[in-house]
């Protein structure tokens, strides 16, 4: 990647990009025998779409996003939703840790760039998940703080305003074109990195750099290999 000038910040999506977001594993465990094996894959894919749909309306706390999307998915498949299912899934989220190599790559980057988290997590979960990353972040911005979730344009406008930067003064790193990189492109952020974790399709027309190993990120941003 080549920059006309050194970026002022490197911003990251957190869940699914840095944190191994294991929500499907937890949903399977919480539902147990209520989720038939023959429909489980379709159920979980559909649930992902309901979660993003819950993020596109009026702001609601993240525990409600989790619960409402799960309840809607179960209704769609004719399954029994029990009060407490959503909360049981939500409460496991802050126990999740980073993908291999993430903490080391972040600490390396932090030697040269201020790091920022922009997450759809709420304040309480974000604090614990950032601690799990064991790396220094200058700023952590949550959906609760913004009053809106990614991929809403307002989330990106809020971030640029809070950091006091223009779109060409920041690098945006995410494993999700759907939640982050499409909107980043729309808002005019040219310096985008797709950390391909294999759960979304490559959308190369968005004009990002694609990597499959987080260790390549510091090199991509101009730091020598250790």
């Amino acid at each position: 990647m080549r920059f006309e000038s050194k970026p002022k910040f490197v911003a990251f999506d957190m869940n699914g990009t840095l944190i191994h977001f294991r929500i499907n594993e937890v949903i399977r465990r919480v539902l147990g025998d209520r989720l038939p094996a023959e429909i489980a894959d379709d159920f979980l894919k559909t649930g992902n779409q309901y979660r993003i749909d819950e993020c596109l309306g009026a702001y609601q706390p993240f525990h409600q996003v989790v619960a409402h999307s799960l309840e809607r998915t179960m209704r769609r498949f004719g399954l029994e939703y029990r009060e407490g299912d959503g909360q049981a899934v939500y409460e496991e989220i802050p126990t999740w840790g980073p993908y291999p190599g993430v903490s080391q790559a972040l600490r390396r980057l932090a030697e040269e760039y201020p790091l920022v988290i922009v997450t759809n997590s709420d304040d309480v979960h974000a604090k614990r998940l950032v601690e799990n990353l064991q790396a220094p972040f200058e700023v952590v911005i949550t959906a609760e703080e913004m009053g809106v979730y990614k991929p809403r344009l307002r989330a990106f406008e809020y971030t640029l305003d809070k950091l006091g930067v223009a779109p060409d003064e920041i690098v945006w790193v995410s494993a999700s074109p759907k939640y982050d990189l499409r909107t980043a492109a729309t808002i005019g952020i040219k310096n985008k990195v797709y950390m391909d974790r294999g759960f979304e399709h490559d959308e190369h027309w968005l004009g990002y750099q694609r990597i499959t190993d987080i260790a390549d990120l510091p090199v991509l941003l101009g730091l020598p290999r250790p």
Side-chain angles (χ1 to χ4, degrees):
M1 185 180 290
R2 295 290 181 268
F3 304 105
E4 294 180 6
S5 59
K6 181 180 176 181
K8 294 182 178 179
F9 295 94
V10 180
F12 292 87
D13 168 64
M14 181 164 60
N15 294 330
T17 300
L18 304 176
I19 292 289
H20 190 179
F21 196 66
R22 295 182 167 93
I23 195 163
N24 285 346
E25 297 175 20
V26 177
I27 289 172
R28 286 178 187 267
R29 187 166 66 252
V30 168
L31 299 186
D33 293 342
R34 283 180 289 154
L35 179 57
E38 62 271 18
I39 67 167
D41 288 346
D42 285 342
F43 178 91
L44 295 169
K45 287 177 184 176
T46 302
N48 183 273
Q49 296 305 312
Y50 275 117
R51 276 197 302 280
I52 196 169
D53 189 65
E54 289 288 328
C55 291
L56 292 173
Y59 177 79
Q60 57 184 325
F62 189 57
H63 69 88
Q64 292 182 9
V65 169
V66 173
H68 292 165
S69 59
L70 181 58
E71 183 176 10
R72 291 172 68 193
T73 309
M74 296 185 77
R75 189 184 311 129
R76 163 84 175 271
F77 283 81
L79 304 179
E80 175 199 1
Y81 179 81
R82 298 173 184 168
E83 188 173 354
D85 284 345
Q87 188 67 21
V89 174
Y90 169 80
E91 287 175 354
E92 284 214 29
I93 293 174
T95 68
W96 299 335
Y99 284 100
V102 161
S103 299
Q104 298 92 317
L106 292 173
R107 289 194 291 263
R108 180 85 178 97
L109 270 175
E111 296 172 8
E112 192 69 26
Y113 297 97
L115 306 184
V116 177
I117 287 281
V118 186
T119 178
N120 279 355
S121 296
D122 54 22
D123 291 351
V124 172
H125 276 190
K127 183 177 186 297
R128 292 178 61 184
L129 288 164
V130 170
E131 289 173 355
N132 295 348
L133 290 171
Q134 299 182 341
F137 287 92
E138 295 281 329
V139 182
V140 176
I141 301 172
T142 67
E144 183 176 351
E145 173 186 340
M146 296 186 289
V148 69
Y149 288 96
K150 298 179 297 178
R152 299 284 302 276
L153 283 163
R154 179 62 191 137
F156 292 76
E157 293 167 341
Y158 181 100
T159 298
L160 296 175
D161 289 346
K162 176 161 184 168
L163 298 177
V165 295
D168 62 354
E169 294 177 319
I170 192 169
V171 175
W172 204 284
V173 184
S174 177
S176 178
K178 179 172 62 177
Y179 276 97
D180 285 84
L181 298 172
R182 294 176 193 169
T183 312
T186 299
I187 214 79
I189 297 172
K190 294 182 174 61
N191 301 318
K192 301 178 292 296
V193 179
Y194 174 39
M195 177 62 250
D196 188 350
R197 296 288 185 194
F199 54 76
E200 289 192 30
H201 294 297
D202 185 3
E203 299 182 13
H204 56 85
W205 53 86
L206 294 175
Y208 49 61
Q209 296 284 336
R210 173 181 172 270
I211 59 174
T212 58
D213 185 344
I214 194 72
D216 291 336
L217 186 58
V219 179
L220 192 61
L221 288 164
L223 278 66
R225 290 192 181 275

PDB file of all heavy atoms in Angstrom, residues 106-129:
ATOM      1  N   LEU A 106      -0.718  -6.030  16.451  1.00  0.00           N
ATOM      2  CA  LEU A 106      -1.207  -4.746  16.943  1.00  0.00           C
ATOM      3  C   LEU A 106      -0.129  -3.997  17.719  1.00  0.00           C
ATOM      4  O   LEU A 106       0.038  -2.778  17.553  1.00  0.00           O
ATOM      5  CB  LEU A 106      -2.438  -4.962  17.832  1.00  0.00           C
ATOM      6  CG  LEU A 106      -3.700  -5.455  17.126  1.00  0.00           C
ATOM      7  CD1 LEU A 106      -4.775  -5.785  18.158  1.00  0.00           C
ATOM      8  CD2 LEU A 106      -4.217  -4.439  16.119  1.00  0.00           C
ATOM      9  N   ARG A 107       0.597  -4.706  18.565  1.00  0.00           N
ATOM     10  CA  ARG A 107       1.657  -4.038  19.325  1.00  0.00           C
ATOM     11  C   ARG A 107       2.739  -3.507  18.393  1.00  0.00           C
ATOM     12  O   ARG A 107       3.302  -2.425  18.624  1.00  0.00           O
ATOM     13  CB  ARG A 107       2.236  -4.997  20.367  1.00  0.00           C
ATOM     14  CG  ARG A 107       1.274  -5.282  21.516  1.00  0.00           C
ATOM     15  CD  ARG A 107       1.972  -5.951  22.694  1.00  0.00           C
ATOM     16  NE  ARG A 107       2.383  -7.305  22.395  1.00  0.00           N
ATOM     17  CZ  ARG A 107       1.692  -8.400  22.709  1.00  0.00           C
ATOM     18  NH1 ARG A 107       0.510  -8.277  23.305  1.00  0.00           N
ATOM     19  NH2 ARG A 107       2.152  -9.598  22.420  1.00  0.00           N
ATOM     20  N   ARG A 108       3.025  -4.247  17.333  1.00  0.00           N
ATOM     21  CA  ARG A 108       4.011  -3.786  16.340  1.00  0.00           C
ATOM     22  C   ARG A 108       3.516  -2.523  15.643  1.00  0.00           C
ATOM     23  O   ARG A 108       4.254  -1.556  15.492  1.00  0.00           O
ATOM     24  CB  ARG A 108       4.237  -4.911  15.319  1.00  0.00           C
ATOM     25  CG  ARG A 108       5.242  -4.562  14.229  1.00  0.00           C
ATOM     26  CD  ARG A 108       6.652  -4.827  14.676  1.00  0.00           C
ATOM     27  NE  ARG A 108       7.603  -4.544  13.613  1.00  0.00           N
ATOM     28  CZ  ARG A 108       8.284  -3.408  13.489  1.00  0.00           C
ATOM     29  NH1 ARG A 108       8.108  -2.435  14.375  1.00  0.00           N
ATOM     30  NH2 ARG A 108       9.147  -3.234  12.509  1.00  0.00           N
ATOM     31  N   LEU A 109       2.272  -2.527  15.218  1.00  0.00           N
ATOM     32  CA  LEU A 109       1.708  -1.352  14.554  1.00  0.00           C
ATOM     33  C   LEU A 109       1.680  -0.136  15.471  1.00  0.00           C
ATOM     34  O   LEU A 109       1.901   0.994  15.040  1.00  0.00           O
ATOM     35  CB  LEU A 109       0.289  -1.654  14.092  1.00  0.00           C
ATOM     36  CG  LEU A 109       0.095  -2.234  12.702  1.00  0.00           C
ATOM     37  CD1 LEU A 109      -1.371  -2.572  12.494  1.00  0.00           C
ATOM     38  CD2 LEU A 109       0.579  -1.265  11.632  1.00  0.00           C
ATOM     39  N   ALA A 110       1.395  -0.369  16.745  1.00  0.00           N
ATOM     40  CA  ALA A 110       1.267   0.734  17.698  1.00  0.00           C
ATOM     41  C   ALA A 110       2.580   1.470  17.919  1.00  0.00           C
ATOM     42  O   ALA A 110       2.582   2.594  18.442  1.00  0.00           O
ATOM     43  CB  ALA A 110       0.727   0.213  19.030  1.00  0.00           C
ATOM     44  N   GLU A 111       3.690   0.866  17.519  1.00  0.00           N
ATOM     45  CA  GLU A 111       4.974   1.567  17.604  1.00  0.00           C
ATOM     46  C   GLU A 111       5.026   2.754  16.651  1.00  0.00           C
ATOM     47  O   GLU A 111       5.787   3.700  16.856  1.00  0.00           O
ATOM     48  CB  GLU A 111       6.117   0.597  17.270  1.00  0.00           C
ATOM     49  CG  GLU A 111       6.259  -0.555  18.246  1.00  0.00           C
ATOM     50  CD  GLU A 111       7.263  -1.592  17.771  1.00  0.00           C
ATOM     51  OE1 GLU A 111       7.953  -1.325  16.759  1.00  0.00           O
ATOM     52  OE2 GLU A 111       7.365  -2.658  18.400  1.00  0.00           O
ATOM     53  N   GLU A 112       4.193   2.722  15.604  1.00  0.00           N
ATOM     54  CA  GLU A 112       4.263   3.741  14.555  1.00  0.00           C
ATOM     55  C   GLU A 112       2.951   4.500  14.362  1.00  0.00           C
ATOM     56  O   GLU A 112       2.953   5.646  13.924  1.00  0.00           O
ATOM     57  CB  GLU A 112       4.657   3.077  13.229  1.00  0.00           C
ATOM     58  CG  GLU A 112       5.035   4.021  12.112  1.00  0.00           C
ATOM     59  CD  GLU A 112       6.350   4.753  12.377  1.00  0.00           C
ATOM     60  OE1 GLU A 112       7.197   4.213  13.131  1.00  0.00           O
ATOM     61  OE2 GLU A 112       6.516   5.869  11.852  1.00  0.00           O
ATOM     62  N   TYR A 113       1.822   3.854  14.675  1.00  0.00           N
ATOM     63  CA  TYR A 113       0.513   4.449  14.396  1.00  0.00           C
ATOM     64  C   TYR A 113      -0.382   4.413  15.626  1.00  0.00           C
ATOM     65  O   TYR A 113      -0.402   3.412  16.351  1.00  0.00           O
ATOM     66  CB  TYR A 113      -0.211   3.667  13.288  1.00  0.00           C
ATOM     67  CG  TYR A 113       0.462   3.674  11.948  1.00  0.00           C
ATOM     68  CD1 TYR A 113       1.274   2.617  11.550  1.00  0.00           C
ATOM     69  CD2 TYR A 113       0.279   4.737  11.059  1.00  0.00           C
ATOM     70  CE1 TYR A 113       1.885   2.604  10.310  1.00  0.00           C
ATOM     71  CE2 TYR A 113       0.886   4.740   9.811  1.00  0.00           C
ATOM     72  CZ  TYR A 113       1.692   3.676   9.441  1.00  0.00           C
ATOM     73  OH  TYR A 113       2.303   3.666   8.207  1.00  0.00           O
ATOM     74  N   PRO A 114      -1.186   5.461  15.850  1.00  0.00           N
ATOM     75  CA  PRO A 114      -2.246   5.363  16.856  1.00  0.00           C
ATOM     76  C   PRO A 114      -3.343   4.415  16.361  1.00  0.00           C
ATOM     77  O   PRO A 114      -3.797   4.525  15.220  1.00  0.00           O
ATOM     78  CB  PRO A 114      -2.778   6.801  16.968  1.00  0.00           C
ATOM     79  CG  PRO A 114      -1.772   7.666  16.287  1.00  0.00           C
ATOM     80  CD  PRO A 114      -1.102   6.816  15.258  1.00  0.00           C
ATOM     81  N   LEU A 115      -3.757   3.489  17.218  1.00  0.00           N
ATOM     82  CA  LEU A 115      -4.739   2.476  16.847  1.00  0.00           C
ATOM     83  C   LEU A 115      -6.115   2.821  17.423  1.00  0.00           C
ATOM     84  O   LEU A 115      -6.217   3.313  18.551  1.00  0.00           O
ATOM     85  CB  LEU A 115      -4.311   1.107  17.355  1.00  0.00           C
ATOM     86  CG  LEU A 115      -2.912   0.628  16.961  1.00  0.00           C
ATOM     87  CD1 LEU A 115      -2.692  -0.797  17.459  1.00  0.00           C
ATOM     88  CD2 LEU A 115      -2.694   0.711  15.455  1.00  0.00           C
ATOM     89  N   VAL A 116      -7.144   2.516  16.629  1.00  0.00           N
ATOM     90  CA  VAL A 116      -8.529   2.835  16.998  1.00  0.00           C
ATOM     91  C   VAL A 116      -9.387   1.591  16.793  1.00  0.00           C
ATOM     92  O   VAL A 116      -9.201   0.860  15.821  1.00  0.00           O
ATOM     93  CB  VAL A 116      -9.072   3.985  16.118  1.00  0.00           C
ATOM     94  CG1 VAL A 116     -10.530   4.273  16.460  1.00  0.00           C
ATOM     95  CG2 VAL A 116      -8.209   5.234  16.262  1.00  0.00           C
ATOM     96  N   ILE A 117     -10.307   1.354  17.721  1.00  0.00           N
ATOM     97  CA  ILE A 117     -11.336   0.325  17.569  1.00  0.00           C
ATOM     98  C   ILE A 117     -12.657   1.024  17.281  1.00  0.00           C
ATOM     99  O   ILE A 117     -13.012   1.998  17.959  1.00  0.00           O
ATOM    100  CB  ILE A 117     -11.489  -0.508  18.856  1.00  0.00           C
ATOM    101  CG1 ILE A 117     -10.301  -1.452  19.061  1.00  0.00           C
ATOM    102  CG2 ILE A 117     -12.793  -1.288  18.847  1.00  0.00           C
ATOM    103  CD1 ILE A 117     -10.332  -2.704  18.251  1.00  0.00           C
ATOM    104  N   VAL A 118     -13.385   0.519  16.285  1.00  0.00           N
ATOM    105  CA  VAL A 118     -14.761   0.970  16.036  1.00  0.00           C
ATOM    106  C   VAL A 118     -15.617  -0.294  16.003  1.00  0.00           C
ATOM    107  O   VAL A 118     -15.531  -1.088  15.071  1.00  0.00           O
ATOM    108  CB  VAL A 118     -14.899   1.758  14.720  1.00  0.00           C
ATOM    109  CG1 VAL A 118     -16.310   2.322  14.600  1.00  0.00           C
ATOM    110  CG2 VAL A 118     -13.870   2.875  14.640  1.00  0.00           C
ATOM    111  N   THR A 119     -16.431  -0.480  17.032  1.00  0.00           N
ATOM    112  CA  THR A 119     -17.084  -1.773  17.223  1.00  0.00           C
ATOM    113  C   THR A 119     -18.581  -1.648  17.438  1.00  0.00           C
ATOM    114  O   THR A 119     -19.058  -0.672  18.048  1.00  0.00           O
ATOM    115  CB  THR A 119     -16.457  -2.529  18.415  1.00  0.00           C
ATOM    116  OG1 THR A 119     -17.146  -3.773  18.594  1.00  0.00           O
ATOM    117  CG2 THR A 119     -16.526  -1.718  19.704  1.00  0.00           C
ATOM    118  N   ASN A 120     -19.311  -2.641  16.972  1.00  0.00           N
ATOM    119  CA  ASN A 120     -20.742  -2.725  17.249  1.00  0.00           C
ATOM    120  C   ASN A 120     -21.036  -3.243  18.649  1.00  0.00           C
ATOM    121  O   ASN A 120     -22.202  -3.358  19.031  1.00  0.00           O
ATOM    122  CB  ASN A 120     -21.432  -3.615  16.214  1.00  0.00           C
ATOM    123  CG  ASN A 120     -21.722  -2.873  14.912  1.00  0.00           C
ATOM    124  OD1 ASN A 120     -21.495  -1.680  14.790  1.00  0.00           O
ATOM    125  ND2 ASN A 120     -22.224  -3.596  13.921  1.00  0.00           N
ATOM    126  N   SER A 121     -20.007  -3.544  19.420  1.00  0.00           N
ATOM    127  CA  SER A 121     -20.212  -3.945  20.812  1.00  0.00           C
ATOM    128  C   SER A 121     -20.707  -2.759  21.637  1.00  0.00           C
ATOM    129  O   SER A 121     -20.564  -1.597  21.248  1.00  0.00           O
ATOM    130  CB  SER A 121     -18.905  -4.451  21.418  1.00  0.00           C
ATOM    131  OG  SER A 121     -18.458  -5.613  20.777  1.00  0.00           O
ATOM    132  N   ASP A 122     -21.271  -3.074  22.796  1.00  0.00           N
ATOM    133  CA  ASP A 122     -21.624  -2.017  23.735  1.00  0.00           C
ATOM    134  C   ASP A 122     -20.418  -1.675  24.606  1.00  0.00           C
ATOM    135  O   ASP A 122     -19.345  -2.284  24.482  1.00  0.00           O
ATOM    136  CB  ASP A 122     -22.841  -2.414  24.578  1.00  0.00           C
ATOM    137  CG  ASP A 122     -22.658  -3.753  25.296  1.00  0.00           C
ATOM    138  OD1 ASP A 122     -21.499  -4.173  25.499  1.00  0.00           O
ATOM    139  OD2 ASP A 122     -23.675  -4.380  25.645  1.00  0.00           O
ATOM    140  N   ASP A 123     -20.576  -0.683  25.462  1.00  0.00           N
ATOM    141  CA  ASP A 123     -19.439  -0.189  26.245  1.00  0.00           C
ATOM    142  C   ASP A 123     -18.848  -1.268  27.149  1.00  0.00           C
ATOM    143  O   ASP A 123     -17.621  -1.422  27.237  1.00  0.00           O
ATOM    144  CB  ASP A 123     -19.868   1.007  27.111  1.00  0.00           C
ATOM    145  CG  ASP A 123     -20.191   2.254  26.298  1.00  0.00           C
ATOM    146  OD1 ASP A 123     -19.926   2.257  25.077  1.00  0.00           O
ATOM    147  OD2 ASP A 123     -20.719   3.221  26.886  1.00  0.00           O
ATOM    148  N   VAL A 124     -19.710  -2.020  27.828  1.00  0.00           N
ATOM    149  CA  VAL A 124     -19.229  -3.013  28.794  1.00  0.00           C
ATOM    150  C   VAL A 124     -18.460  -4.125  28.092  1.00  0.00           C
ATOM    151  O   VAL A 124     -17.344  -4.491  28.494  1.00  0.00           O
ATOM    152  CB  VAL A 124     -20.409  -3.594  29.602  1.00  0.00           C
ATOM    153  CG1 VAL A 124     -19.950  -4.760  30.453  1.00  0.00           C
ATOM    154  CG2 VAL A 124     -21.014  -2.516  30.492  1.00  0.00           C
ATOM    155  N   HIS A 125     -19.017  -4.668  27.027  1.00  0.00           N
ATOM    156  CA  HIS A 125     -18.337  -5.736  26.308  1.00  0.00           C
ATOM    157  C   HIS A 125     -17.069  -5.234  25.629  1.00  0.00           C
ATOM    158  O   HIS A 125     -16.053  -5.937  25.613  1.00  0.00           O
ATOM    159  CB  HIS A 125     -19.273  -6.343  25.257  1.00  0.00           C
ATOM    160  CG  HIS A 125     -20.180  -7.390  25.815  1.00  0.00           C
ATOM    161  ND1 HIS A 125     -20.946  -8.205  25.023  1.00  0.00           N
ATOM    162  CD2 HIS A 125     -20.444  -7.763  27.089  1.00  0.00           C
ATOM    163  CE1 HIS A 125     -21.647  -9.039  25.768  1.00  0.00           C
ATOM    164  NE2 HIS A 125     -21.358  -8.783  27.029  1.00  0.00           N
ATOM    165  N   ALA A 126     -17.118  -4.049  25.055  1.00  0.00           N
ATOM    166  CA  ALA A 126     -15.945  -3.523  24.354  1.00  0.00           C
ATOM    167  C   ALA A 126     -14.755  -3.403  25.293  1.00  0.00           C
ATOM    168  O   ALA A 126     -13.624  -3.756  24.934  1.00  0.00           O
ATOM    169  CB  ALA A 126     -16.265  -2.172  23.727  1.00  0.00           C
ATOM    170  N   LYS A 127     -14.999  -2.928  26.506  1.00  0.00           N
ATOM    171  CA  LYS A 127     -13.900  -2.774  27.467  1.00  0.00           C
ATOM    172  C   LYS A 127     -13.226  -4.118  27.738  1.00  0.00           C
ATOM    173  O   LYS A 127     -11.992  -4.223  27.716  1.00  0.00           O
ATOM    174  CB  LYS A 127     -14.433  -2.182  28.773  1.00  0.00           C
ATOM    175  CG  LYS A 127     -13.365  -1.922  29.824  1.00  0.00           C
ATOM    176  CD  LYS A 127     -13.980  -1.259  31.047  1.00  0.00           C
ATOM    177  CE  LYS A 127     -12.902  -0.844  32.056  1.00  0.00           C
ATOM    178  NZ  LYS A 127     -12.163  -2.003  32.589  1.00  0.00           N
ATOM    179  N   ARG A 128     -14.024  -5.148  27.942  1.00  0.00           N
ATOM    180  CA  ARG A 128     -13.451  -6.463  28.259  1.00  0.00           C
ATOM    181  C   ARG A 128     -12.773  -7.086  27.042  1.00  0.00           C
ATOM    182  O   ARG A 128     -11.705  -7.697  27.159  1.00  0.00           O
ATOM    183  CB  ARG A 128     -14.540  -7.372  28.801  1.00  0.00           C
ATOM    184  CG  ARG A 128     -15.049  -6.928  30.176  1.00  0.00           C
ATOM    185  CD  ARG A 128     -16.171  -7.804  30.673  1.00  0.00           C
ATOM    186  NE  ARG A 128     -15.758  -9.196  30.833  1.00  0.00           N
ATOM    187  CZ  ARG A 128     -16.591 -10.167  31.185  1.00  0.00           C
ATOM    188  NH1 ARG A 128     -17.872  -9.893  31.400  1.00  0.00           N
ATOM    189  NH2 ARG A 128     -16.156 -11.411  31.312  1.00  0.00           N
ATOM    190  N   LEU A 129     -13.361  -6.924  25.870  1.00  0.00           N
ATOM    191  CA  LEU A 129     -12.769  -7.508  24.659  1.00  0.00           C
ATOM    192  C   LEU A 129     -11.457  -6.810  24.295  1.00  0.00           C
ATOM    193  O   LEU A 129     -10.497  -7.462  23.871  1.00  0.00           O
ATOM    194  CB  LEU A 129     -13.767  -7.428  23.505  1.00  0.00           C
ATOM    195  CG  LEU A 129     -14.959  -8.390  23.623  1.00  0.00           C
ATOM    196  CD1 LEU A 129     -16.070  -7.981  22.679  1.00  0.00           C
ATOM    197  CD2 LEU A 129     -14.524  -9.831  23.358  1.00  0.00           C
TER     198      LEU A 129
END
